[in-house]
Amino acid sequence: MNKIYSPEEDSYLLSKVLENKIPKLLSENPDLTFLEIGSGSGIQLKTALKSGIKKQNIFSSDINITAVEYCKNLGFNCIKSDLFEVFKRKIKRRKPWCPRKYDLIIFNPPYLPENSQEPSDSKISTTGGKKGSEIINKFLKQAKSHLNKNGKIFLLTSNLTKEIDFLNYEKKILAKKKLFFEELFVWRLSIT
Ligand SMILES: C[S@@+](CC[C@H](N)C(=O)[O-])C[C@H]1O[C@@H](n2cnc3c(N)ncnc32)[C@H](O)[C@@H]1O
């Protein structure tokens, strides 16, 4: 069974960005809809709720069914999906509560390059492929068609992640954190 990711520095950095940025986004759009891909322990869902997003507008998914069940038990909408697999389905094959497009999509992805030392039950949360960017790059390709007009993405990455392809997203770094072995970044991405 895959482990649920226990919040780490990356989780706390993204959570802090949500706390700082959500109030302004809500002042412009009180009905802001929020999707987290890869919700894990639900830390970001709790922050989104605490920051004022209406519970019925908070949606989430994870590829790990244990994490999905955990977030559902916390009372959040959560569905098992590989990235946007479920969200891109035609309405009849989607859950009625599961919109196709969102105002804010967030992802704290598995971003590390493959490492044979990594235990197999935590790989799903940490390893992003050979270069570390494979899951991120798939996410970036798919996310475009799930953003509302003026929608934004908050994405966490690391300097250890190689060859991220940001496509034609407009991008800005919202937060950085230097750790002793890596540097973390939170990006705001939007389509112009
Ligand atoms: C680094 S953890 C982040 C967990 C939590 N959001 C946090 O900030 O602590 C990455 C999460 O992404 C999930 N994940 C990995 N690959 C995925 C995929 N292809 N689609 C959806 N979720 C995925 C993992 O199961 C894990 O819960």
Short mmCIF file of all heavy atoms in Angstrom, two decimals, residues 96-134:
data_model
loop_
_atom_site.label_atom_id
_atom_site.label_comp_id
_atom_site.label_asym_id
_atom_site.label_seq_id
_atom_site.Cartn_x
_atom_site.Cartn_y
_atom_site.Cartn_z
N PRO A 96 -21.18 14.20 -10.58
CA PRO A 96 -21.91 15.47 -10.74
C PRO A 96 -21.23 16.62 -10.01
O PRO A 96 -21.33 17.77 -10.41
CB PRO A 96 -23.28 15.19 -10.14
CG PRO A 96 -23.28 13.79 -9.68
CD PRO A 96 -21.97 13.14 -9.98
N TRP A 97 -20.49 16.32 -8.92
CA TRP A 97 -19.88 17.40 -8.15
C TRP A 97 -18.54 17.85 -8.73
O TRP A 97 -17.91 18.75 -8.22
CB TRP A 97 -19.68 17.00 -6.70
CG TRP A 97 -18.83 15.77 -6.47
CD1 TRP A 97 -19.32 14.53 -6.21
CD2 TRP A 97 -17.41 15.66 -6.48
NE1 TRP A 97 -18.27 13.66 -6.06
CE2 TRP A 97 -17.09 14.33 -6.22
CE3 TRP A 97 -16.36 16.57 -6.69
CZ2 TRP A 97 -15.78 13.86 -6.17
CZ3 TRP A 97 -15.05 16.10 -6.64
CH2 TRP A 97 -14.78 14.76 -6.39
N CYS A 98 -18.14 17.26 -9.80
CA CYS A 98 -16.76 17.39 -10.26
C CYS A 98 -16.68 18.26 -11.54
O CYS A 98 -16.76 17.74 -12.63
CB CYS A 98 -16.32 15.95 -10.51
SG CYS A 98 -14.69 15.68 -11.02
N PRO A 99 -16.56 19.60 -11.37
CA PRO A 99 -16.52 20.46 -12.57
C PRO A 99 -15.31 20.18 -13.45
O PRO A 99 -14.34 19.57 -13.00
CB PRO A 99 -16.43 21.88 -12.00
CG PRO A 99 -16.66 21.79 -10.55
CD PRO A 99 -16.38 20.38 -10.14
N ARG A 100 -15.38 20.67 -14.70
CA ARG A 100 -14.26 20.47 -15.62
C ARG A 100 -13.23 21.59 -15.46
O ARG A 100 -12.04 21.38 -15.60
CB ARG A 100 -14.82 20.45 -17.04
CG ARG A 100 -13.82 20.08 -18.11
CD ARG A 100 -14.49 20.15 -19.48
NE ARG A 100 -13.48 20.15 -20.51
CZ ARG A 100 -12.95 19.06 -21.04
NH1 ARG A 100 -13.33 17.88 -20.63
NH2 ARG A 100 -12.04 19.16 -21.99
N LYS A 101 -13.73 22.81 -15.14
CA LYS A 101 -12.83 23.98 -15.10
C LYS A 101 -12.85 24.67 -13.74
O LYS A 101 -13.89 24.68 -13.07
CB LYS A 101 -13.24 24.98 -16.17
CG LYS A 101 -13.04 24.44 -17.57
CD LYS A 101 -13.09 25.54 -18.58
CE LYS A 101 -12.72 24.98 -19.94
NZ LYS A 101 -12.47 26.03 -20.91
N TYR A 102 -11.73 25.30 -13.39
CA TYR A 102 -11.55 25.88 -12.05
C TYR A 102 -10.88 27.26 -12.14
O TYR A 102 -10.18 27.56 -13.11
CB TYR A 102 -10.67 24.94 -11.19
CG TYR A 102 -11.33 23.60 -11.01
CD1 TYR A 102 -11.18 22.59 -11.98
CD2 TYR A 102 -12.15 23.35 -9.92
CE1 TYR A 102 -11.83 21.38 -11.85
CE2 TYR A 102 -12.80 22.13 -9.78
CZ TYR A 102 -12.63 21.15 -10.75
OH TYR A 102 -13.28 19.95 -10.62
N ASP A 103 -11.04 28.05 -11.04
CA ASP A 103 -10.38 29.37 -10.98
C ASP A 103 -8.96 29.24 -10.44
O ASP A 103 -8.09 30.03 -10.80
CB ASP A 103 -11.19 30.30 -10.06
CG ASP A 103 -12.60 30.51 -10.60
OD1 ASP A 103 -12.72 30.84 -11.79
OD2 ASP A 103 -13.57 30.32 -9.84
N LEU A 104 -8.75 28.28 -9.55
CA LEU A 104 -7.40 28.09 -8.99
C LEU A 104 -7.12 26.59 -8.91
O LEU A 104 -7.90 25.84 -8.31
CB LEU A 104 -7.32 28.72 -7.59
CG LEU A 104 -5.99 28.57 -6.86
CD1 LEU A 104 -4.84 29.21 -7.64
CD2 LEU A 104 -6.07 29.20 -5.46
N ILE A 105 -6.02 26.19 -9.56
CA ILE A 105 -5.59 24.78 -9.51
C ILE A 105 -4.22 24.76 -8.84
O ILE A 105 -3.34 25.55 -9.21
CB ILE A 105 -5.49 24.17 -10.93
CG1 ILE A 105 -6.85 24.20 -11.63
CG2 ILE A 105 -4.95 22.73 -10.85
CD1 ILE A 105 -6.83 23.70 -13.07
N ILE A 106 -4.04 23.89 -7.86
CA ILE A 106 -2.74 23.82 -7.20
C ILE A 106 -2.18 22.39 -7.28
O ILE A 106 -2.94 21.42 -7.34
CB ILE A 106 -2.77 24.30 -5.73
CG1 ILE A 106 -3.55 23.31 -4.84
CG2 ILE A 106 -3.37 25.68 -5.61
CD1 ILE A 106 -3.16 23.40 -3.38
N PHE A 107 -0.84 22.30 -7.27
CA PHE A 107 -0.19 20.97 -7.30
C PHE A 107 1.17 21.07 -6.62
O PHE A 107 2.01 21.88 -7.00
CB PHE A 107 -0.02 20.53 -8.77
CG PHE A 107 0.35 19.07 -8.97
CD1 PHE A 107 0.09 18.09 -8.01
CD2 PHE A 107 0.94 18.67 -10.17
CE1 PHE A 107 0.41 16.75 -8.22
CE2 PHE A 107 1.28 17.33 -10.40
CZ PHE A 107 1.01 16.37 -9.42
N ASN A 108 1.33 20.27 -5.58
CA ASN A 108 2.65 20.04 -4.98
C ASN A 108 3.04 18.64 -5.45
O ASN A 108 2.67 17.65 -4.82
CB ASN A 108 2.56 20.12 -3.45
CG ASN A 108 3.88 19.75 -2.77
OD1 ASN A 108 4.91 19.65 -3.44
ND2 ASN A 108 3.85 19.54 -1.47
N PRO A 109 3.74 18.56 -6.57
CA PRO A 109 3.87 17.27 -7.27
C PRO A 109 5.04 16.43 -6.77
O PRO A 109 5.90 16.94 -6.04
CB PRO A 109 4.18 17.73 -8.70
CG PRO A 109 4.99 18.97 -8.50
CD PRO A 109 4.44 19.64 -7.25
N PRO A 110 5.09 15.17 -7.19
CA PRO A 110 6.33 14.42 -7.03
C PRO A 110 7.34 15.07 -7.99
O PRO A 110 7.06 15.15 -9.17
CB PRO A 110 5.96 13.01 -7.50
CG PRO A 110 4.49 13.02 -7.76
CD PRO A 110 4.06 14.44 -7.93
N TYR A 111 8.45 15.56 -7.48
CA TYR A 111 9.35 16.34 -8.36
C TYR A 111 10.80 15.86 -8.37
O TYR A 111 11.66 16.46 -9.01
CB TYR A 111 9.29 17.83 -7.98
CG TYR A 111 9.71 18.14 -6.55
CD1 TYR A 111 11.04 18.03 -6.15
CD2 TYR A 111 8.78 18.57 -5.62
CE1 TYR A 111 11.43 18.32 -4.84
CE2 TYR A 111 9.15 18.86 -4.31
CZ TYR A 111 10.48 18.72 -3.93
OH TYR A 111 10.86 19.01 -2.64
N LEU A 112 11.11 14.79 -7.63
CA LEU A 112 12.52 14.37 -7.57
C LEU A 112 12.86 13.41 -8.70
O LEU A 112 12.03 12.57 -9.07
CB LEU A 112 12.81 13.69 -6.23
CG LEU A 112 12.77 14.59 -5.01
CD1 LEU A 112 12.93 13.76 -3.73
CD2 LEU A 112 13.86 15.67 -5.09
N PRO A 113 14.09 13.50 -9.23
CA PRO A 113 14.55 12.50 -10.20
C PRO A 113 14.62 11.12 -9.53
O PRO A 113 14.86 11.03 -8.33
CB PRO A 113 15.95 12.98 -10.58
CG PRO A 113 16.02 14.40 -10.16
CD PRO A 113 15.07 14.57 -9.02
N GLU A 114 14.40 10.09 -10.34
CA GLU A 114 14.41 8.71 -9.83
C GLU A 114 15.66 8.41 -9.02
O GLU A 114 16.76 8.82 -9.40
CB GLU A 114 14.36 7.75 -11.02
CG GLU A 114 13.15 6.86 -10.99
CD GLU A 114 12.93 6.22 -12.34
OE1 GLU A 114 13.91 5.73 -12.92
OE2 GLU A 114 11.78 6.23 -12.80
N ASN A 115 15.46 7.69 -7.92
CA ASN A 115 16.59 7.36 -7.04
C ASN A 115 16.30 5.95 -6.52
O ASN A 115 15.27 5.72 -5.89
CB ASN A 115 16.62 8.38 -5.91
CG ASN A 115 17.63 8.04 -4.84
OD1 ASN A 115 18.18 6.94 -4.81
ND2 ASN A 115 17.87 8.98 -3.95
N SER A 116 17.23 5.04 -6.79
CA SER A 116 16.97 3.64 -6.44
C SER A 116 16.85 3.42 -4.92
O SER A 116 16.34 2.41 -4.48
CB SER A 116 18.07 2.75 -7.02
OG SER A 116 19.32 3.24 -6.59
N GLN A 117 17.31 4.40 -4.14
CA GLN A 117 17.24 4.28 -2.67
C GLN A 117 15.83 4.59 -2.14
O GLN A 117 15.52 4.27 -0.98
CB GLN A 117 18.19 5.28 -1.97
CG GLN A 117 19.60 5.33 -2.47
CD GLN A 117 20.33 4.02 -2.17
OE1 GLN A 117 19.98 3.30 -1.25
NE2 GLN A 117 21.32 3.71 -2.99
N GLU A 118 15.01 5.23 -2.96
CA GLU A 118 13.69 5.67 -2.49
C GLU A 118 12.78 4.47 -2.23
O GLU A 118 12.59 3.64 -3.11
CB GLU A 118 13.07 6.58 -3.57
CG GLU A 118 11.70 7.14 -3.26
CD GLU A 118 11.70 8.24 -2.21
OE1 GLU A 118 12.63 9.06 -2.21
OE2 GLU A 118 10.76 8.26 -1.39
N PRO A 119 12.20 4.34 -1.03
CA PRO A 119 11.31 3.20 -0.77
C PRO A 119 10.10 3.21 -1.71
O PRO A 119 9.59 4.28 -2.06
CB PRO A 119 10.85 3.43 0.68
CG PRO A 119 11.75 4.47 1.24
CD PRO A 119 12.33 5.24 0.11
N SER A 120 9.64 2.02 -2.10
CA SER A 120 8.60 1.96 -3.14
C SER A 120 7.27 2.55 -2.65
O SER A 120 6.49 3.06 -3.45
CB SER A 120 8.42 0.53 -3.62
OG SER A 120 8.02 -0.25 -2.53
N ASP A 121 7.00 2.52 -1.35
CA ASP A 121 5.70 3.03 -0.88
C ASP A 121 5.63 4.56 -0.77
O ASP A 121 4.57 5.12 -0.54
CB ASP A 121 5.29 2.38 0.45
CG ASP A 121 6.30 2.65 1.57
OD1 ASP A 121 7.36 3.24 1.29
OD2 ASP A 121 6.00 2.28 2.72
N SER A 122 6.80 5.25 -0.93
CA SER A 122 6.74 6.72 -0.88
C SER A 122 7.07 7.34 -2.25
O SER A 122 6.89 8.53 -2.46
CB SER A 122 7.69 7.27 0.19
OG SER A 122 8.99 6.81 -0.03
N LYS A 123 7.52 6.48 -3.19
CA LYS A 123 7.88 6.96 -4.54
C LYS A 123 6.76 7.73 -5.22
O LYS A 123 6.98 8.73 -5.88
CB LYS A 123 8.19 5.73 -5.41
CG LYS A 123 9.62 5.60 -5.78
CD LYS A 123 9.83 4.50 -6.77
CE LYS A 123 11.30 4.52 -7.12
NZ LYS A 123 11.79 3.32 -7.67
N ILE A 124 5.54 7.27 -5.01
CA ILE A 124 4.37 7.87 -5.66
C ILE A 124 4.24 9.36 -5.30
O ILE A 124 3.72 10.16 -6.07
CB ILE A 124 3.09 7.07 -5.29
CG1 ILE A 124 1.94 7.39 -6.23
CG2 ILE A 124 2.69 7.31 -3.84
CD1 ILE A 124 0.76 6.45 -6.07
N SER A 125 4.76 9.74 -4.12
CA SER A 125 4.65 11.13 -3.67
C SER A 125 5.88 11.96 -4.02
O SER A 125 5.81 13.18 -4.05
CB SER A 125 4.49 11.19 -2.15
OG SER A 125 3.31 10.58 -1.76
N THR A 126 7.00 11.30 -4.25
CA THR A 126 8.25 12.06 -4.36
C THR A 126 8.91 12.02 -5.74
O THR A 126 9.54 12.99 -6.15
CB THR A 126 9.29 11.53 -3.33
OG1 THR A 126 9.47 10.14 -3.56
CG2 THR A 126 8.83 11.76 -1.91
N THR A 127 8.76 10.89 -6.45
CA THR A 127 9.53 10.71 -7.69
C THR A 127 8.73 11.13 -8.92
O THR A 127 7.67 10.56 -9.20
CB THR A 127 9.96 9.23 -7.82
OG1 THR A 127 10.69 8.90 -6.64
CG2 THR A 127 10.85 9.01 -9.02
N GLY A 128 9.27 12.11 -9.63
CA GLY A 128 8.55 12.66 -10.79
C GLY A 128 8.98 12.05 -12.10
O GLY A 128 8.59 12.53 -13.16
N GLY A 129 9.79 11.00 -12.06
CA GLY A 129 10.29 10.38 -13.30
C GLY A 129 11.81 10.49 -13.35
O GLY A 129 12.42 10.96 -12.38
N LYS A 130 12.41 10.07 -14.48
CA LYS A 130 13.88 10.05 -14.59
C LYS A 130 14.50 11.41 -14.29
O LYS A 130 15.49 11.52 -13.59
CB LYS A 130 14.28 9.64 -16.01
CG LYS A 130 14.36 8.15 -16.19
CD LYS A 130 15.37 7.80 -17.31
CE LYS A 130 15.64 6.32 -17.34
NZ LYS A 130 14.63 5.56 -18.10
N LYS A 131 13.89 12.46 -14.85
CA LYS A 131 14.43 13.82 -14.64
C LYS A 131 13.73 14.54 -13.50
O LYS A 131 14.12 15.65 -13.13
CB LYS A 131 14.24 14.64 -15.92
CG LYS A 131 15.02 14.07 -17.07
CD LYS A 131 14.65 14.75 -18.36
CE LYS A 131 15.33 14.03 -19.51
NZ LYS A 131 14.51 14.00 -20.71
N GLY A 132 12.67 13.96 -13.02
CA GLY A 132 11.91 14.60 -11.94
C GLY A 132 10.76 15.45 -12.48
O GLY A 132 9.87 15.83 -11.72
N SER A 133 10.79 15.77 -13.78
CA SER A 133 9.80 16.72 -14.32
C SER A 133 8.69 16.06 -15.13
O SER A 133 7.79 16.74 -15.62
CB SER A 133 10.52 17.73 -15.22
OG SER A 133 11.18 17.05 -16.27
N GLU A 134 8.74 14.74 -15.28
CA GLU A 134 7.80 14.08 -16.19
C GLU A 134 6.34 14.29 -15.79
O GLU A 134 5.49 14.58 -16.63
CB GLU A 134 8.12 12.58 -16.29
CG GLU A 134 9.37 12.25 -17.12
CD GLU A 134 10.72 12.37 -16.38
OE1 GLU A 134 10.78 13.05 -15.33
OE2 GLU A 134 11.70 11.80 -16.87
#
